[in-house]
Amino acid sequence: MATTGTDTSKVTIVNHPLTRNILTRLRDYQTPSGEFREKARQLSYFLVYEAMRELGVREVGVETPIGPAKGVALSDYVVFAPVLRAGLILAEAAQELFANARIYHIGLRRDEETLKAISYYAKLPEALPNESRVFVLDPMLATGGSACAAINLFDKLNVTTIHLVSIVAAPEGVKRVHSQFPNVHITTAALDENLNEHGYIVPGLGDAGDRIFGT
Ligand code: PRP
Ligand code: URA
């Protein structure tokens, strides 16, 4: 399932010693679930922080104990869309960083035979403000079926700025997302080699949902 020619111009790989070290703990099959959850959450802060780099701000004044200073207030209408289940770990961190974001949970389950994403929950508003900035949160970008299904929900609402935040991405998934949604910016901690015959990312970190929540 190797894919070549991945367009990396819309992909940010967060490649910091701290994130690389955390990812190594996540990859290790011996890392117990408690530590896995804790490390996945830590990594989520860094990834969401990086994905939000282009967030809009407006200038405001502020009074320090010493006197007036210039500052900024966040001005974008932000939406987080965690893909259940594993995306909840990214959402926990994202919500702490941007408390006033709207959160729309997207229930998708990958059929392990066909590898197709099956929708079981989506409760979205009928419209979103034009200037909305949507962050689809899904730790594993494998075939890209789940990410595309989630992104499509917001694309249909005419949202123009959609980001995808993942922990590990496969070239196949990146290619699929960008073939359907060329403007989506992907932020990830790693772009791995390929998918195996079961649609798992190689080397990846295994089944993210199971490792976070248990089988
Ligand atoms: C996993 C993962 C992604 C999806 C990625 O979810 O969390 O959502 O697979 O695979 P894809 O790119 O091939 O669609 P899963 O369906 O296992 O659900 P879970 O998070 O509830 O375990
Ligand atoms: N879903 C996962 O949790 N891991 C993979 O490697 C692929 C899909």
Side-chain angles (χ1 to χ4, degrees):
M1 282 196 177
T3 299
T4 53
T6 305
D7 174 11
T8 51
S9 64
K10 282 260 174 191
V11 181
T12 297
I13 299 169
V14 179
N15 190 21
H16 186 284
L18 289 175
T19 59
R20 290 170 64 199
N21 177 249
I22 295 172
L23 182 59
T24 305
R25 296 300 304 145
L26 295 180
R27 289 195 193 276
D28 189 338
Y29 78 100
Q30 291 185 310
T31 300
S33 64
E35 184 189 347
F36 187 94
R37 224 175 4 255
E38 182 190 313
K39 292 283 190 295
R41 195 181 148 103
Q42 284 176 5
L43 185 52
S44 297
Y45 288 111
F46 294 118
L47 295 171
V48 172
Y49 168 85
E50 184 57 40
M52 296 189 114
R53 187 169 286 281
E54 303 299 326
L55 219 53
V57 292
R58 68 187 152 76
E59 296 196 351
V60 295
V62 62
E63 290 287 331
T64 79
I66 311 300
K70 288 180 182 163
V72 297
L74 299 170
S75 57
D76 280 346
Y77 188 99
V78 170
V79 170
F80 294 132
V83 176
L84 302 175
R85 295 172 296 167
L88 289 174
I89 204 81
L90 280 156
E92 282 178 22
Q95 213 175 352
E96 278 187 40
L97 293 174
F98 198 107
N100 291 330
R102 281 73 179 169
I103 305 219
Y104 297 111
H105 297 90
I106 311 294
L108 288 167
R109 170 180 76 75
R110 194 172 79 151
D111 182 304
E112 292 306 332
E113 293 294 317
T114 64
L115 300 185
K116 289 210 164 81
I118 299 167
S119 168
Y120 61 87
Y121 183 80
K123 195 169 167 215
L124 268 60
E126 286 183 4
L128 280 170
N130 283 344
E131 71 279 13
S132 301
R133 201 179 270 273
V134 172
F135 294 85
V136 172
L137 308 174
D138 190 347
M140 306 306 283
L141 175 58
T143 66
S146 305
C148 286
I151 293 166
N152 190 44
L153 295 171
F154 295 95
D155 188 63
K156 281 198 297 194
L157 293 179
N158 296 320
V159 174
T160 49
T161 310
I162 304 176
H163 304 254
L164 173 63
V165 185
S166 79
I167 290 179
V168 181
E172 291 91 331
V174 172
K175 201 172 175 187
R176 181 159 169 189
V177 167
H178 282 153
S179 68
Q180 289 186 41
F181 306 102
N183 293 326
V184 168
H185 196 108
I186 300 171
T187 300
T188 187
L191 183 59
D192 273 7
E193 291 164 20
N194 56 15
L195 299 178
N196 68 15
E197 65 274 27
H198 305 293
Y200 275 80
I201 302 174
V202 180
L205 49 76
D207 188 311
D210 286 358
R211 294 197 67 186
I212 294 167
F213 297 110
T215 47

